[in-house]
Amino acid sequence: AGGLWFDGVSDYVTLPSVDADFTAGFTIEAWVCFADSGSFARILELCKSRTVDSIIVAREATNANLGLWITRAGQTGTLLATGVIQNGVWMHVAVTLGGVADGSGTATIYIDGQARASGSLIAPPAGPRGMAMLGKSSTSWDALFRGRMSEVRIWNRARSQEDIQAARYQRLDPCEPGLVAYYPLDERDSSLAHDV
């Protein structure tokens, strides 16, 4: 099996500060394989500090729902794709936010290239997010991710369904327009994950 293994006990990846401007929209993509049902186990969390101005992609509680959460100024917006997680099965996850106006936009969760949830969501505020992690929450009470993860991509624009479908099996050129961070997670014998 490919990708980086997370043991659910002490493994996670701390990313450099993400300084991209997401106020006009974003896309976060990853291949993931959950090995268990850890409560609110994160695929990714980006925030300014604990629970402040967060963008979170994670399991909802211990169920099979995958969620996107955005927090801003004490507000939290949530979008859930219900019943999409099967432990032990690889899936391609993409969450997008686009069409941002007046502080909100249209969010969509794609699983294996198919839209499984869509709705209006608050837009994230501007500014760098100094807490950026794969497999770990900014809070101590959420479970660490247990399973495998690869091809994590962070964009500062909303990608179309066609773009997501066309590129999910491809390695990307790191100079792709709007691609602000790209972690293939294909390292071997290393404690470091590299942004290409």
Side-chain angles (χ1 to χ4, degrees):
L4 189 64
W5 170 254
F6 295 74
D7 67 5
V9 177
S10 59
D11 292 345
Y12 61 93
V13 176
T14 301
L15 305 178
S17 177
V18 177
D19 297 337
D21 182 0
F22 296 130
T23 56
F26 64 81
T27 301
I28 295 166
E29 297 180 75
W31 279 96
V32 297
C33 179
F34 285 85
D36 68 11
S37 302
S39 182
F40 287 101
R42 302 301 200 260
I43 295 172
L44 173 143
E45 180 169 345
L46 309 175
C47 57
K48 292 184 179 177
S49 59
R50 193 179 76 174
T51 71
V52 176
D53 295 346
S54 302
I55 300 171
I56 296 167
V57 184
R59 179 189 290 272
E60 184 200 27
T62 59
N63 60 39
N65 302 338
L66 187 85
L68 168 63
W69 289 265
I70 298 174
T71 66
R72 183 185 72 208
Q75 294 179 291
T76 300
T78 304
L79 180 66
L80 295 175
T82 59
V84 298
I85 300 173
Q86 295 182 60
N87 290 345
V89 176
W90 279 99
M91 64 179 183
H92 183 264
V93 172
V95 298
T96 67
L97 181 73
V100 175
D102 301 322
S104 67
T106 299
T108 305
I109 298 175
Y110 298 92
I111 303 296
D112 296 329
Q114 301 302 312
R116 297 296 299 270
S118 187
S120 181
L121 213 58
I122 58 175
R129 286 168 174 80
M131 293 184 75
M133 296 161 291
L134 303 178
K136 184 180 187 299
S137 168
S138 64
T139 61
S140 61
W141 49 85
D142 295 317
L144 292 175
F145 174 85
R146 183 170 182 268
R148 292 190 179 275
M149 197 180 305
S150 69
E151 289 292 318
V152 177
R153 306 162 180 184
I154 302 172
W155 307 77
N156 64 2
R157 61 186 178 89
R159 303 248 296 160
S160 70
Q161 182 174 16
E162 292 73 20
D163 288 341
I164 291 165
Q165 289 175 338
R168 64 192 176 112
Y169 291 112
Q170 308 296 322
R171 287 295 296 264
L172 296 184
D173 180 339
C175 297
E176 287 264 1
L179 183 61
V180 299
Y182 179 26
Y183 298 93
L185 302 183
D186 57 0
E187 290 81 9
R188 296 292 181 263
D189 303 318
S190 174
S191 60
L192 299 175
H194 299 281
D195 180 357
V196 298

